[in-house]
Structures are given as structure tokens and as C-alpha cells.
Amino acid sequence: MVNFVGAGPGAPDLITVRGMELIKNADVIIYAGSLVNAELLKYAKPDCKIYNSAKMTLGEVVAVMEENRNGEIVRLHTGDPSIYGAIREQADELDRLGIEYEVCPGVSSMFGAAAALKAEYTLPGISQSVIVTRMAGRTPVPERESIESFAAHGATMVIFLSAGMLDELSKRLIDGGYKVDSPAAIVYKATWEDEIIVRTTVGELAAVAERHGITKTALITVGGFLGGGYERSRLYDAGFSHGYRKGTE
Ligand code: SAH
């Protein structure tokens, strides 16, 4: 049995209770060493076999799973496995081999970053949608999902895997409709001890990242949710009635 487990964004106590139990019971752990906090491995059984997938190919990962198919295997991914986790290709191999698997969700770094910013991505009157995307790197992004086309919505944007391309990101956000002085933030290593939070503007992203030496392990967030104005929610408005509460109007 293989469990794909979300390790959370960094702080070891941000794994789920279920994820922690799976780690404690594992005979084999294959963890994404580039981003998963190695502190989590301290909870493994003393005889648990531990592999760092940063040094392995898909074939090697699947071979370890196949060799240990009768044991409890944890495949530990950073954040939540569903976001840029490359779990589908592993799952398809497991299907082919007839090995069962489950997925245990985790706290994505996009939520670690929102917490670091003490921000709400979906502010009434500002944006009710969150666009999760990335710049094309070695993995291409479909043309219809260009940064410009998303920027045109003016919705909240959370941009992964792009901290090394901020000049181009700024340019494309502005080409799409954001202003040079629209609010943006960079969160480096959200929830880790060396977390850095920088509030800035779309036009300043690259300069600010350079000043802080940030080239990777960062999220870029963009949008009016980082600014001042918004409307209060209807849900907690004293005049508003709903299924659980009678309003004053
Ligand atoms: N599944 C992960 C994302 C994996 S892709 C998740 O849900 O968070 C790796 C990218 O995620 C990094 O390049 C970076 O953009 C982002 N990332 C991962 N952990 C991060 C953290 N603690 N702080 C900021 N960004 C992080």
C-alpha cells in the first residue's frame, strides 16, 4: 500500500494528524528532499527505510514502491500533493502494477503564504477567485493559460515555481492589465524558520527579490487583496438573515 502524503509547507507541525500517523507507521518513506522538512523523518520507525526522491528518477521511485509493495509506503510530497506534485505519473505506474494507493492531503504553501501575509485571498468587492498558476519553465504551460490572459481578470493570483523569472513575470502581468503599482507580495519559505515576507508592487518584484537574494522556494501573490479597500462579508452583516441567524432588517 502506498500513501501519497502532503507534508505541508515547511513547519513540521503543519502536517495533518493523518499524515503524521502514516509517517509513524511507514516501513518505507520516499520524500521530496528538495522541499520537505527533514524534521518530519524523526517520527519514522527506527527501522523505516528512507529514500530522498530529489536524487531519483520516476523509474527508481516506482521500483522502490514495487520492491516494498507488501509494506506500508509513504510518498511524502511538499505542501499538498495535488499542486505540482507529479503524483499522477506515479499513480498510473502503481495502477499498472496493481499496487493500491491513497492520497492524504496537506497544507499547500499557497495557504502557508496567505497565513504568513495574514491575508484573505477572496475579499468581497475585490476578488472572489484565486488563480493558481506558474510561468513556463522546463515544464511548458498551455498557451491559453498565459500570465497575460489570467492577469486580465484582475483576480487574486498565486504564482508558483517562478521566483527565478520575475522580470518577465512583471512584464507579463502588466501586459495583461495589472498596473506597475498594483500590490504584490513575495513569500519565501512560508512557515519555515527562515521565512521572508516582502510586500511590494508588480513593477518591483524582480528588484525586491534580488535585494533579498530570493531565487527559489517562493510564491508570488498579486492582487487587490493585498491592498486597503474591500467590502465586509454579508455572512456576518447584522442586517443579513440566513439559515442560522435572523438579521435585524
Ligand atoms: N505541492 C506544493 C508545491 C510544489 S511545487 C504545494 O502545495 O505547496 C514547488 C514550488 O512551490 C516552489 O517552487 C515554490 O514556488 C512553492 N513552494 C513550496 N514550498 C514553499 C514555501 N514553504 N514557501 C513558498 N513557496 C513554496
Side-chain angles (χ1 to χ4, degrees):
M1 176 77 186
V2 174
N3 273 283
F4 293 98
V5 176
D13 55 350
L14 284 178
I15 192 168
T16 63
V17 173
R18 184 186 297 180
M20 179 60 92
E21 290 303 316
L22 289 166
I23 287 182
K24 287 181 181 167
N25 284 325
D27 302 307
V28 177
I29 297 176
I30 309 168
Y31 74 108
S34 54
L35 285 168
V36 167
N37 192 331
E39 289 273 313
L40 286 169
L41 303 174
K42 291 188 184 153
Y43 298 93
K45 295 189 289 195
D47 59 346
C48 178
K49 288 187 269 178
I50 294 180
Y51 297 84
N52 179 356
S53 64
K55 300 173 185 160
M56 297 162 78
T57 62
L58 172 63
E60 287 166 346
V61 168
V62 173
V64 169
M65 291 173 171
E66 194 177 5
E67 272 162 36
N68 296 280
R69 63 187 299 158
N70 296 322
E72 292 299 327
I73 303 170
V74 164
R75 176 69 171 105
L76 198 54
H77 283 274
T78 182
D80 184 86
S82 70
I83 302 287
Y84 307 112
I87 62 164
R88 173 66 189 269
E89 60 198 33
Q90 299 173 69
D92 284 348
E93 288 298 296
L94 295 178
D95 283 338
R96 190 177 60 77
L97 295 166
I99 299 173
E100 278 185 66
Y101 55 89
E102 298 283 346
V103 181
C104 172
V107 177
S108 173
S109 61
M110 67 180 280
F111 302 119
L117 290 161
K118 300 182 181 154
E120 177 173 348
Y121 287 139
T122 54
L123 276 183
I126 299 292
S127 173
Q128 291 290 287
S129 310
V130 183
I131 293 171
V132 176
T133 189
R134 61 170 297 170
M135 295 269 284
R138 267 175 291 183
T139 303
V141 172
E143 181 56 40
R144 62 181 182 277
E145 297 180 17
S146 69
I147 296 286
E148 293 87 332
S149 68
F150 287 143
H153 292 279
T156 298
M157 291 180 73
V158 179
I159 303 158
F160 283 75
L161 295 159
S162 304
M165 297 175 258
L166 295 182
D167 269 324
E168 192 188 339
L169 176 65
S170 283
K171 186 181 167 303
R172 299 177 103 197
L173 287 167
I174 293 163
D175 285 350
Y178 274 106
K179 303 274 182 292
V180 175
D181 61 356
S182 295
I186 305 175
V187 184
Y188 168 78
K189 292 189 82 175
T191 82
W192 289 76
E193 278 179 8
D194 49 350
E195 168 185 275
I196 300 174
I197 304 165
V198 203
R199 292 170 193 273
T200 180
T201 59
V202 168
E204 285 291 303
L205 281 169
V208 158
E210 191 177 350
R211 212 174 307 138
H212 288 87
I214 298 171
T215 56
K216 58 177 184 166
T217 326
L219 286 175
I220 315 305
T221 63
V222 180
F225 79 98
L226 291 161
Y230 65 96
E231 291 165 12
R232 289 193 173 174
S233 76
R234 302 301 306 276
L235 189 61
Y236 297 104
D237 184 322
F240 189 69
S241 300
H242 56 69
Y244 293 95
R245 183 168 61 76
K246 178 105 185 69
T248 52
E249 280 167 19

